[in-house]
Amino acid sequence: MMLYPAMDKLTSYVPNRYMLVNVVARRARQIAEAAEEIGEPLEEKPVTLAINEVAEGRLDAGSTDLMRAEEEQE
């Protein structure tokens, strides 16, 4: 089974799978909370959106302050 985006592409931005899970989970929570706050339904699941942000290079292991990705979303 092929996954998109590929794991090697994701780990080029976040070097460790466990860290990747944490970064994606934190960002997915932010996306879900923001959508709920403004009452906007999401077309895709928050986790999918967060993974795509990593794959596009907008979110990486250095993104302890995830505000940059959140601001780009708006």
Side-chain angles (χ1 to χ4, degrees), residues 4-5 24-36 40-54 58-59 73:
Y4 180 79
V24 169
R26 184 179 307 160
R27 179 66 183 131
R29 275 188 231 108
Q30 287 179 341
I31 292 169
E33 288 171 0
E36 186 176 329
E40 179 182 316
L42 296 173
E43 293 183 21
E44 294 188 47
K45 293 183 179 183
V47 172
T48 301
L49 295 171
I51 288 173
N52 288 335
E53 287 182 5
V54 172
R58 297 187 331 182
L59 194 60
Q73 181 100 24

